[in-house]
Amino acid sequence: MAAALQERLQTASGEFQKIQGDLSAAVAARQKLDAQLQENELVKKEFTSLTPENTVYKLVGPVLVQQDQAEAKQTVDTRLEFIRSEIKRVEGQLKDLGEKSDKKKMELVEIQTASQQQPAPAAT
């Protein structure tokens, strides 16, 4: 009986660690998206100070290529929409992983409690 509980504890512990790893990866993705959002919002803010005579350049590999202002603004707006939708997706993922983590933590506590309540094997 104790071996079965130990086996369950090992399995649940491994699953919990995997969930924690996934949670860490999702948090890192969320932070990266936040940085991208801030950067693109800054670019959009800079666009408001442009006059029609200003020239906009886009970095393509190691080369700066001239780009139409309207096209550049549209690209940034599209990128902002995409980043916001990705943030919503990752936040949903974080919520789901947080719930899974809590459930697995409770399962671990239950298994540990059950194993502690078992009588110790008699010494011979």
Side-chain angles (χ1 to χ4, degrees):
M1 184 71 165
L5 277 175
Q6 188 64 30
E7 178 78 23
R8 277 184 59 204
L9 184 62
Q10 289 290 337
T11 302
S13 179
E15 291 169 356
F16 180 73
Q17 288 176 346
K18 182 185 181 312
I19 291 170
Q20 290 299 307
D22 292 345
L23 195 57
S24 294
V27 167
R30 175 67 167 94
Q31 290 172 338
K32 183 178 177 183
L33 286 168
D34 267 339
Q36 289 176 349
L37 181 67
Q38 288 175 352
E39 180 181 341
N40 281 278
E41 284 177 342
L42 183 65
V43 170
K44 186 174 180 170
K45 182 180 174 188
E46 288 294 319
F47 279 155
T48 60
S49 65
L50 291 180
T51 64
E53 294 81 37
N54 291 126
T55 306
V56 176
Y57 292 93
K58 174 170 111 174
L59 186 63
V60 179
V63 180
L64 285 175
V65 178
Q66 189 171 349
Q67 187 177 27
D68 180 54
Q69 271 191 38
E71 184 183 336
K73 288 177 182 180
Q74 182 60 41
T75 301
V76 170
D77 288 339
T78 304
R79 197 175 303 134
L80 282 168
E81 287 176 28
F82 174 76
I83 291 170
R84 288 186 181 110
S85 69
E86 282 296 297
I87 286 173
K88 286 181 184 177
R89 185 186 65 79
V90 171
E91 283 178 346
Q93 192 178 19
L94 282 169
K95 182 180 177 191
D96 182 48
L97 287 169
E99 290 171 358
K100 283 182 182 179
S101 176
D102 290 343
K103 286 180 184 177
K104 195 54 69 175
K105 194 183 305 181
M106 292 303 296
E107 182 183 335
L108 282 168
V109 169
E110 289 172 10
I111 294 170
Q112 287 175 335
T113 303
S115 68
Q116 290 171 354
Q117 290 176 352
Q118 278 195 342
T124 53

